[in-house]
């Protein structure tokens, strides 16, 4: 029995086909989305199976070890490298999805684990089916055993986060910056849609003055509990989704000033025992003030979903929120236009006009737009304590939220992949490679140039602006020891002297670049 472990490292020296700039999930990245069509039926067709082995599949290099042709392991990896992940535009071997491979050629048996980025992957069954098929086609294979799993829940950088947030993969802000547009309805139904897709989900109701969560869900225990030993908060649950809201704190109505509210939110969010979550949905309060900035600063938001209504007044306020997220380097991945229309007498009516959602999409380049109709059941479910997607999982509204859930899963995976590989060190050319998310530009920097341009207090006097770090203090042949993402805006670079430098993307883009350098295969 031979055991082969395919590396999970995202850094490979094989040049993969470049992912398309727009999403590969059909119907979800157009300026307008047909929410009546199923995203899964069209997406299944995008799991690309190469018709023949490519030249690069003749020798698959995983991490630093190379698997040569002619071995059983190479046969299996070559076969699996035919399957292309439509999110990343590269094969599942290069993505590092293949784990715990066991091969017995004499018996014709092959087993391995297919580890995806999220348990909510809407095409995990398709991946499993294709993996079985391509390996079973090998002439010596008689039996294939594929098990499915997902990567452990963990943010891109957990070390600098409060302990309660260190096992949460993705944090999604649902925001409107205007009250009364149905933001809480979208947040709750999105959360339960993601849970139905197989993800571990939590909801944080960040509205202290008017918490909506206690009305919209009906947990058996309606009070948060405190762990007396750890001094942490134990969330309540409803249908498998973890819930935290000031409305469950038993404190009555909130009458407090802004700084106190920010402190309460910080405590509720960071001291809660969330456990391992794939998605934490934050129902943001309206506005762009202290509370919103506090949330954006204390948690590494993966992405934001914007909620609006058709009126022009909604667009004006929503635009403020989009600009806030843009300044904080939080990608807005979808717009939900609520209360768009209703059908009666065979006609469709738009009582509040049309165009607010489309205007947000066009003006700010947010690619995904979802229209929610005016439905009495949607409003009633928000008051009954049972979300609409739970009460009527096969209804038209649930299908719209399923499309939104697929979009959020796909966009989060894409963002994490872009961020994790945005800044890397290429030892072959001894240069730092930079490819900022949402940019097609790729360039190289000399490590010494990056180190000499540190702008922290250790390198530059905060009061006088005098340069404390001198040019000659940094060796010309210095190399970084480790590069880690810092949210969506920067990386942390550890140098041989132990110094940890925070390098924002914006700063890296202004530094002098190396000319005539390219990545080596």
């Amino acid at each position: 029995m031979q055991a082969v472990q395919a590396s999970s490292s995202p850094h490979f020296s094989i040049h993969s086909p470049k992912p398309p700039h727009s999403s590969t999930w059909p119907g979800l990245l157009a300026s307008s989305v047909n929410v009546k069509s199923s995203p899964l039926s069209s997406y299944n067709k995008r799991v690309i199976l190469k018709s023949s082995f490519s030249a690069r599949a003749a020798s698959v290099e995983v991490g630093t070890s190379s698997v040569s042709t002619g071995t059983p392991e190479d046969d299996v990896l070559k076969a699996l490298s035919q399957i292309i992940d439509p999110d990343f535009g590269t094969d599942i071997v290069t993505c590092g999805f293949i784990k715990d491979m066991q091969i017995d050629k004499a018996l014709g048996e092959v087993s391995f684990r297919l580890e995806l980025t999220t348990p909510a992957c809407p095409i995990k069954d398709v991946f499993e089916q294709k993996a079985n098929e391509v390996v079973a086609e090998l002439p010596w294979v008689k039996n294939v055993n594929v098990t499915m799993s997902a990567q452990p829940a963990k943010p891109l950088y957990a070390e600098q986060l409060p302990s309660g947030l260190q096992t949460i993969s993705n944090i999604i802000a649902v925001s409107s910056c205007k009250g009364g547009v149905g933001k809480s309805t979208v947040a709750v139904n999105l959360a339960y849609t993601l849970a139905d897709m197989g993800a571990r989900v939590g909801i944080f109701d960040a509205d202290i003055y008017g918490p909506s969560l206690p009305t919209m869900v009906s947990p058996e225990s309606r009070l948060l509990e405190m762990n007396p030993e750890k001094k942490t908060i134990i969330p309540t649950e409803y249908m498998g989704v973890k819930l935290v809201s000031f409305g469950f704190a038993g404190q009555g109505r909130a009458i407090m000033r802004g700084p106190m509210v920010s402190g309460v939110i910080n405590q509720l969010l960071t001291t809660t025992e969330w456990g391992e979550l794939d998605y934490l949905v934050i129902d943001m309060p309206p506005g762009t003030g202290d509370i919103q900035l506090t949330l954006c600063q204390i948690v590494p938001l993966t992405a934001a979903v914007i909620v609006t209504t058709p009126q022009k007044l909604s667009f004006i306020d929503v635009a403020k929120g989009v600009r806030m997220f843009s300044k904080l380097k939080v990608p807005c991945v979808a717009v939900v236009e609520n209360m768009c229309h209703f059908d009666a007498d065979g006609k469709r009516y738009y009582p509040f006009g049309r165009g607010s959602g489309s205007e947000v999409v066009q003006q700010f380049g947010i690619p995904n737009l979802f229209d929610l109709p005016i439905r009495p059941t949607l409003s009633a479910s928000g008051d009954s304590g049972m979300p609409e997607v739970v009460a009527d999982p096969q209804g038209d509204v649930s299908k719209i939220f399923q499309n939104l859930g697929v979009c959020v899963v796909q966009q989060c995976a894409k963002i994490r992949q872009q961020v994790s590989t945005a800044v890397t060190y290429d030892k072959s050319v001894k240069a730092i490679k930079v490819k900022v998310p949402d940019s097609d530009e790729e360039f190289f920097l000399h490590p010494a140039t990056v180190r000499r341009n540190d702008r922290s207090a250790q390198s530059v006097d905060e009061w006088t602006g005098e340069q404390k770090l001198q040019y000659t203090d940094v060796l010309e042949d210095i190399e970084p020891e480790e590069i880690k993402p810092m949210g969506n805006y920067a990386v942390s670079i550890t140098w041989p002297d132990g110094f940890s430098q925070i390098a924002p993307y914006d700063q890296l883009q202004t530094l002098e670049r190396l000319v005539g350098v390219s990545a080596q295969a």
Side-chain angles (χ1 to χ4, degrees):
M1 179 75 75
Q2 295 173 304
V4 177
Q5 172 69 52
S7 170
S8 61
S9 170
H11 307 291
F12 292 86
S13 59
I14 296 175
H15 290 288
S16 306
K18 185 177 180 181
H21 180 67
S22 61
S23 170
T24 52
W25 297 53
L28 288 180
L29 210 59
S31 60
S32 179
V33 176
N34 179 9
V35 293
K36 292 184 180 179
S37 62
S38 168
L40 300 186
S41 60
S42 56
Y43 183 46
N44 289 349
K45 301 174 185 177
R46 299 303 300 245
V47 180
I48 305 168
L49 188 62
K50 296 179 186 175
S51 59
S52 61
F53 295 132
S54 65
R56 71 182 181 91
S59 178
V60 181
E61 186 170 289
V62 186
T64 57
S65 63
S66 180
V67 182
S68 60
T69 59
T71 65
E73 296 85 354
D74 179 60
D75 288 346
V76 175
L77 291 175
K78 277 178 62 178
L80 292 170
S81 68
Q82 296 178 92
I83 305 173
I84 304 298
D85 185 299
D87 288 341
F88 306 143
T90 190
D91 65 84
I92 62 174
V93 175
T94 302
C95 287
F97 292 170
I98 310 303
K99 303 293 180 68
D100 304 333
M101 185 180 291
Q102 300 285 336
I103 297 176
D104 190 326
K105 189 172 183 180
L107 297 176
E109 295 181 350
V110 177
S111 65
F112 56 90
R113 179 165 55 91
L114 192 54
E115 184 184 75
L116 303 179
T117 57
T118 171
C121 176
I123 54 160
K124 50 181 175 282
D125 294 339
V126 179
F127 272 131
E128 182 177 7
Q129 176 188 344
K130 294 297 183 183
N132 270 293
E133 289 177 358
V134 296
V135 175
E137 288 177 358
L138 295 172
W140 55 270
V141 173
K142 299 178 181 178
N143 184 40
V144 183
N145 180 26
V146 181
T147 57
M148 304 297 292
S149 68
Q151 294 175 3
K154 186 179 181 182
L156 285 173
Y157 65 106
E159 295 83 356
Q160 302 181 27
L161 295 176
S163 58
L165 304 178
Q166 290 184 5
T167 53
I168 302 174
S169 290
N170 303 281
I171 302 179
I172 312 299
V174 178
S175 175
S176 67
C177 297
K178 182 173 182 61
V181 299
K183 172 180 48 59
S184 296
T185 298
V186 172
V188 170
N189 281 279
L190 171 60
Y192 280 90
T193 297
L194 293 171
D196 186 61
M197 294 169 67
R200 295 162 293 185
V201 182
I203 306 175
F204 179 69
D205 183 357
D207 195 338
I208 299 297
Y209 295 117
S212 303
L213 202 57
T215 303
M216 303 191 73
V217 294
S218 304
E220 185 175 335
S221 173
R222 300 188 64 83
L223 284 177
L224 298 173
E225 297 181 8
M226 176 73 75
N227 185 323
E229 296 181 358
K230 298 181 181 179
K231 304 296 182 183
T232 54
I233 297 170
I234 302 173
T236 187
E237 287 192 25
Y238 177 64
M239 301 191 71
V241 174
K242 296 183 178 180
L243 313 168
V244 171
S245 170
F246 186 75
F248 293 137
Q251 300 295 322
R253 295 185 178 273
I255 304 175
M256 60 184 80
R257 295 186 182 273
M260 294 177 63
V261 174
S262 297
V264 170
I265 287 177
N266 194 342
Q267 181 182 8
L268 284 173
L269 181 58
T270 62
T271 64
T272 292
E273 294 182 12
W274 291 107
E276 288 197 357
L277 294 182
D278 300 297
Y279 302 93
L280 175 61
V281 178
I282 298 184
D283 182 5
M284 300 279 283
T288 55
D290 287 345
I291 300 172
Q292 291 75 17
L293 292 176
T294 297
L295 282 167
C296 293
Q297 289 168 353
I298 64 176
V299 299
L301 294 176
T302 309
V305 173
I306 306 299
V307 183
T308 185
T309 53
Q311 298 98 320
K312 182 179 179 180
L313 188 60
S314 291
F315 170 77
I316 293 172
D317 286 345
V318 165
K320 297 175 185 177
V322 175
R323 294 189 184 100
M324 176 190 72
F325 285 121
S326 177
K327 289 183 178 180
L328 296 170
K329 307 298 182 184
V330 177
C332 295
V333 298
V335 175
V336 178
E337 187 172 1
N338 193 19
M339 296 180 279
C340 284
H341 53 75
F342 68 89
D343 297 328
D345 303 325
K347 295 181 181 180
R348 176 157 291 184
Y349 297 90
Y350 297 85
F352 303 119
R354 305 175 68 174
S356 174
S358 298
E359 195 169 352
V360 174
V361 168
Q362 293 168 7
Q363 182 166 327
F364 298 101
I366 302 173
N368 306 298
L369 174 62
F370 300 88
D371 296 343
L372 279 175
I374 299 173
R375 290 285 174 83
T377 55
L378 183 57
S379 176
S381 66
D383 296 333
S384 68
M386 180 177 290
E388 174 74 359
V389 297
V390 176
D392 185 13
Q394 302 301 320
D396 291 341
V397 170
S398 293
K399 291 178 182 178
I400 297 172
F401 278 107
Q402 287 166 12
N403 279 6
L404 176 61
V406 169
C407 171
V408 168
V409 168
Q410 178 266 333
Q411 291 293 331
C412 286
K414 184 179 177 181
I415 290 168
R416 288 175 64 88
Q417 176 72 3
Q418 289 177 337
V419 169
S420 66
T421 59
V423 182
T424 56
Y425 182 62
D426 191 330
K427 289 190 175 183
S428 63
V429 295
K430 294 188 175 181
I432 294 176
K433 183 176 72 172
V434 181
K435 189 177 186 303
V436 176
D438 293 327
S439 171
D440 293 329
E441 183 183 29
E442 180 179 285
F443 57 91
F444 290 83
L445 301 173
H446 194 294
T449 300
V450 176
R451 179 66 180 88
R452 288 167 180 153
N453 280 275
D454 174 57
R455 306 305 299 169
S456 69
Q458 290 184 262
S459 302
V460 180
D461 190 290
E462 293 182 280
W463 296 101
T464 66
E466 179 184 355
Q467 188 73 35
K468 294 161 61 177
L469 178 69
Q470 301 302 313
Y471 187 94
T472 54
D473 293 340
V474 179
L475 298 176
E476 195 67 24
D477 61 351
I478 192 171
E479 296 184 58
E481 290 189 344
E482 186 179 26
I483 299 178
K484 297 188 296 184
M486 289 286 295
N488 298 319
Y489 73 97
V491 290
S492 171
I493 306 175
T494 303
W495 299 99
D497 60 1
F499 179 70
S500 182
Q501 176 182 355
I502 305 301
Y505 296 150
D506 291 346
Q507 182 194 13
L508 294 176
Q509 289 177 304
T510 65
L511 300 182
E512 182 181 0
R513 304 176 183 185
L514 293 173
V515 180
V517 179
S518 60
Q520 302 296 309

